[in-house]
Each structure stands twice: as structure tokens, then as C-alpha cells.
Amino acid sequence: MLATAALGVPKAVAAGRDSAPDVTGDRFDLADTGARLIHEKTLHHETVMQSFAFDELHGHIYALQVIPSGVQLPGESRTYSHTERHDAGDLCLNRLSMHGEVLGRMYLKGFGHGTAISVDSSRSSWGGAVTLWVECDANPVSGFGRAIGRFPYAENTVLHSADRRVTVYRPHPGSTANCAALDLNNRRLLLRHGLPGRRRYALYNLDAFTAGVFWPLIDFAQPGMDLGLPFQGMTLDGDYAYQLMGAGRDANSSAEPDNTVLLHCIDLSTGAVVQEHKSRAGLGLTHREPEGLAVLHGPQAGEPQLCMGFASGPEGGRKFSLYGLPVL
């Protein structure tokens, strides 16, 4: 089900960009209730969508989820529980249409929690292949990634975090909870990483980072860590970063209490929060757990949108929905 602000097959905004133009980006209206773009679709498995990203060149969405109980992949001697998959960092990577229909999948073993995913399908990347950026090298204690991995999408395959096809980046050795967001228009990468007792963001030139040069343009403490809300995603657009926080509510309740979904807009020239808002997007969803954040630049109609993901439905039968917030 698509609303009037529906997703279309977008134009190739990132194609052919080999050098960074002047930094541009949009401020989005975090106070808007959001236009429903995709309503309660199912991924390949009925576990929660962890994060998502748009491939604007080919008109696809990529989404991550933890593998559920009872799945035995090629090369495995037995099935594993959902908890074992979570702790090992085993993920299912879904390839979707812009309407949310599952088109394909691959499996990622030992990568992480899937807190964020980014897609680079620009013609300057891997000779035109779709490249994914995901946390990798899962910490066996927590299941969260200790590095960032870059790899080409390969349908119906199982990829291990230590596979030679994965290019691994460790800008902060010894860190955990790593995840990255790309801004292809401006050739920038935003990294989140965790050290004992703290979480930080760092902004990099994408091409320098890809070459292994880890000189941040700015490095600052992640805001909102004192609120006690789970971190659920981030994205990057020009001079602004956006982060999503919140937990799901009881699936039997649609009431507002204890279902805070908090958005922050961060000015990347200073690291300061310029807007904070408790979002009412998707308020009628059962469970309503925020999961993932991404910017959609080029739908056939309308302006760029800041897109929020939500999980809904009962445990063992989760659905996902996307809502889009307009520019200010």
C-alpha cells in the first residue's frame, strides 16, 4: 500500500560522481507526522528489519534483519537459535523493490547487528556493481561490529565477514558498535563507533576513507546518550546528520506512553543538535519499533524525504513500514 507521496523508480542522482562538489543538503521537518510510503510488508524472514538503504540508480531498497531460529545455511551442520544468530552477528540482506516486495537476498555471517546499511551503486564504484557498506567483524560478546565492511552484492550467496571479498576498515581499532552512512552527492561518510562508556561520530571524505586514510573532518560525542533510548539508525545529507532512537511498545497496545521515537538533526560543522523531536509518524502501528533511517533524493514526484523505518506486528510475524518526512 503506497500513499500519494509514494516511492517511484528514482533518477540516478549519484551516477558518475568521481569528485566531491560543494557540500549541499536538506534540512528535514522532524515535526512532520510523515507520509506513509510502504505499509506493513514482510521481509524474507519475519524478524525485525534492522536498517535499510536506497539504491537510487537501480530503484531498489536493501534491508537487513537478524536470521531467525531454525535456518540452516549451506555449509552449516545444524540450525541455530535467534539468540545464537544475534550474538554471532548473522544477518539476512534483502533486496526489495521500491514498493517493498522481496526480489532477492544474500546472507552475511559474523557481520554484526545491522544497525545501519549504505549502498553505493555509482558508476565509479566497483565498475558499476552495487556495493554495500555494513558493520563487520562481530564482537562475540555483544554481536555488534568492530569494523566497517564493504562488499559487492551477490544474489543467493552466503558471505562471511572474514571473506576476501569484504574490504575491512578499522579507523578505531578496539572499538565496537561501528556503523556507517554515506552521502554520495558530497562523497562523505559518517562513522559511529563505541568505546568504553562513550559513543562518537566522525565525518570523513568518502574517497579518502575508502583509500584507508582516516582523517576526520569533525569528531564529536554522540548526542542523546544520556536518555537511555536504544540507538536505531542514522543517515547523512550534506551538512546535517540525523539519528533515530527509541524502543518498541507492547504489541497488544497502541497507546502512546513508553513508545518514544526520537529524532535528532545534527549540524556537522559543530556537532551540535539543531532540532530534536519526538515523532508521531506511524503512531497507529502495533509494536511500532523504530528501525533505520535513510534519505531518498530522487523520487519521480515530490521533494527529497527523510525516511524512517518501523517494525510492527507480533513477535515471529514482524512487518516493516516506511514513512517519509519532507524538507523544511
Side-chain angles (χ1 to χ4, degrees):
M1 295 290 293
L2 299 178
T4 55
L7 302 175
V9 177
K11 59 188 178 182
V13 297
R17 303 217 178 195
D18 295 318
S19 60
D22 292 337
V23 174
T24 58
D26 293 296
R27 278 281 309 278
F28 295 96
D29 185 3
L30 305 189
D32 193 276
T33 55
R36 191 177 71 190
L37 306 177
I38 293 176
H39 182 60
E40 294 200 316
K41 293 288 189 177
T42 304
L43 298 175
H44 181 69
H45 299 291
E46 291 189 335
T47 51
V48 166
M49 178 182 71
Q50 299 295 118
S51 59
F52 67 97
F54 297 107
D55 174 1
E56 301 207 48
L57 183 61
H58 301 103
H60 292 148
I61 303 171
Y62 287 86
L64 291 169
Q65 60 182 156
V66 178
I67 302 172
S69 300
V71 175
Q72 185 172 346
L73 300 177
E76 295 180 341
S77 60
R78 65 176 179 90
T79 62
Y80 294 86
S81 69
H82 182 69
T83 298
E84 287 176 310
R85 293 293 193 186
H86 175 278
D87 293 346
D90 294 348
L91 302 167
C92 178
L93 172 59
N94 295 258
R95 182 171 64 89
L96 313 170
S97 74
M98 296 298 281
H99 297 276
E101 306 295 340
V102 177
L103 301 176
R105 69 188 185 280
M106 67 182 293
Y107 288 97
L108 310 177
K109 293 190 65 176
F111 276 74
H113 191 62
T115 306
I117 179 174
S118 289
V119 180
D120 187 355
S121 57
S122 64
R123 291 172 186 164
S124 61
S125 172
W126 289 76
V130 174
T131 307
L132 289 309
W133 293 70
V134 180
E135 65 186 280
C136 69
D137 186 24
N139 186 333
V141 175
S142 65
F144 288 83
R146 294 176 286 193
I148 299 296
R150 177 176 67 116
F151 58 90
Y153 179 79
E155 194 85 24
N156 294 320
T157 60
V158 179
L159 183 66
H160 294 257
S161 183
D163 191 282
R164 61 181 178 81
R165 290 171 290 177
V166 182
T167 302
V168 178
Y169 301 95
R170 299 183 187 276
H172 295 278
S175 65
T176 189
N178 282 263
C179 54
L182 302 185
D183 175 0
L184 296 179
N185 284 337
N186 296 290
R187 306 301 296 172
R188 286 179 159 190
L189 178 148
L190 181 67
L191 173 75
R192 177 185 183 258
H193 66 280
L195 296 167
R198 54 198 172 109
R199 297 288 186 269
R200 296 192 69 83
Y201 283 125
L203 181 69
Y204 298 88
N205 175 280
L206 174 59
D207 299 305
F209 189 98
T210 302
V213 179
F214 305 133
W215 294 340
L217 304 172
I218 186 172
D219 182 295
F220 58 96
Q222 180 188 337
M225 290 302 296
D226 58 330
L227 300 175
L229 294 172
F231 176 76
Q232 299 287 14
M234 66 182 193
T235 194
L236 171 66
D237 194 44
D239 285 326
Y240 299 100
Y242 299 87
Q243 72 174 19
L244 179 65
M245 306 178 81
R249 65 183 163 210
D250 189 308
N252 297 318
S253 171
S254 60
E256 174 65 13
D258 303 317
N259 191 220
T260 295
V261 173
L262 192 65
L263 286 165
H264 287 111
C265 175
I266 305 165
D267 184 339
L268 290 174
S269 65
T270 63
V273 173
V274 294
Q275 187 181 6
E276 175 183 314
H277 188 74
K278 183 178 177 180
S279 179
R280 296 179 64 84
L283 195 59
L285 296 170
T286 59
H287 182 63
R288 189 183 178 248
E289 182 176 3
E291 298 285 358
L293 204 60
V295 175
L296 180 65
H297 291 99
Q300 289 182 329
E303 296 179 318
Q305 297 174 79
L306 177 64
C307 298
M308 309 166 60
F310 289 94
S312 61
E315 186 175 356
R318 300 296 197 203
K319 308 289 184 181
F320 77 94
S321 300
L322 299 186
Y323 286 76
L325 306 181
V327 295
L328 280 171

